[in-house]
Amino acid sequence: MSEDHTHVQEFFGARAADWDRKFPGDGPAFAAAVAEFDLRPGDRVLDAGCGTGRALPELRSAVGPSGTVLGADLTPQMLDAAVRAGRAAAGALLLADVARLPLRDGGLDAVFASGLIAHLPDPGANLRELARVVRPGGRLALFHPIGRLALATRQGRELTPGDMRAEHNLGPLLAGSGWDLLSYADEDARFLAVAVRRP
């Protein structure tokens, strides 16, 4: 989108109040993605770029009361919308840039990121930052509730071979950032790439 965080905040801030109403049918896709991510009770998980927190209740259910759920987002209005929707009860919300997380090295078991990768100003460096906060063997889920083609159609653009989320591009990008791609699904109803943090 842009390296200018002000632009990102303005874009999402202006849409935060109506975000959930604009995409009312996404709930089952979030639930299915979290279920496939195979979190365990007691896990420590970050929802990176959590937006209005649509994944937070599902993540809390997956890790249980003994687990830790954090939601980080750059846009205050998105976090406010998460609070209004009652999702702050599922995890702690952080106003934070995922490019510079206020978290210790290796402190998490997993990162869930919905729609995030397209908005990262420096994807390689930003994925390395996510790897920094995850323990070796921990996992990353890059998710979107619709696939690449459906999203491109919605946005009025064409898919190109250079699309960062294409498997032939995403695999090497992850590999250069401390992750190994485990699984990749790009279907009309979902996009889900799961990677593991290298030792």
Side-chain angles (χ1 to χ4, degrees):
M1 185 173 253
S2 169
E3 292 190 25
D4 180 0
H5 286 165
T6 302
H7 174 73
V8 173
Q9 287 176 317
E10 288 175 354
F11 178 88
F12 285 104
R15 292 160 175 78
D18 295 322
W19 193 262
D20 288 350
R21 284 193 293 274
K22 188 173 180 183
F23 306 108
D26 287 349
F30 274 87
V34 171
E36 189 170 337
F37 197 28
D38 198 27
L39 295 167
R40 299 180 182 93
D43 276 354
R44 300 154 299 173
V45 61
L46 169 68
D47 184 355
C50 67
T52 62
R54 292 181 292 174
L56 295 176
E58 299 296 338
L59 294 171
R60 171 55 66 196
S61 293
V63 303
S66 64
T68 299
V69 177
L70 303 173
D73 202 274
L74 185 64
T75 305
Q77 296 94 324
M78 282 289 193
L79 296 178
D80 290 344
V83 171
R84 284 194 305 275
R87 297 179 183 131
L93 298 177
L94 305 172
L95 180 61
D97 182 354
V98 299
R100 291 182 301 278
L101 289 164
L103 301 172
R104 66 182 173 87
D105 294 0
L108 300 174
D109 298 294
V111 173
F112 184 88
S114 173
L116 176 69
I117 193 167
H119 302 292
L120 296 176
D122 185 347
N126 302 151
L127 288 168
R128 279 192 294 279
E129 173 66 357
L130 295 180
R132 180 188 68 78
V133 301
V134 173
R135 64 168 175 80
R139 294 193 300 159
L140 168 69
L142 299 175
F143 167 73
H144 199 283
I146 59 175
R148 293 186 311 121
L149 180 58
L151 182 61
T153 301
R154 175 191 285 176
Q155 295 174 343
R157 60 180 175 82
E158 291 185 12
L159 277 182
T160 67
D163 184 342
M164 178 175 33
R165 289 164 290 189
E167 188 172 8
H168 65 269
N169 295 323
L170 184 60
L173 175 62
L174 288 164
S177 306
W179 302 95
D180 288 319
L181 186 62
L182 288 179
S183 64
Y184 181 91
D186 181 18
E187 304 156 0
D188 284 347
R190 68 163 184 162
F191 175 90
L192 181 63
V194 177
V196 64
R197 171 74 164 88
R198 286 203 193 115

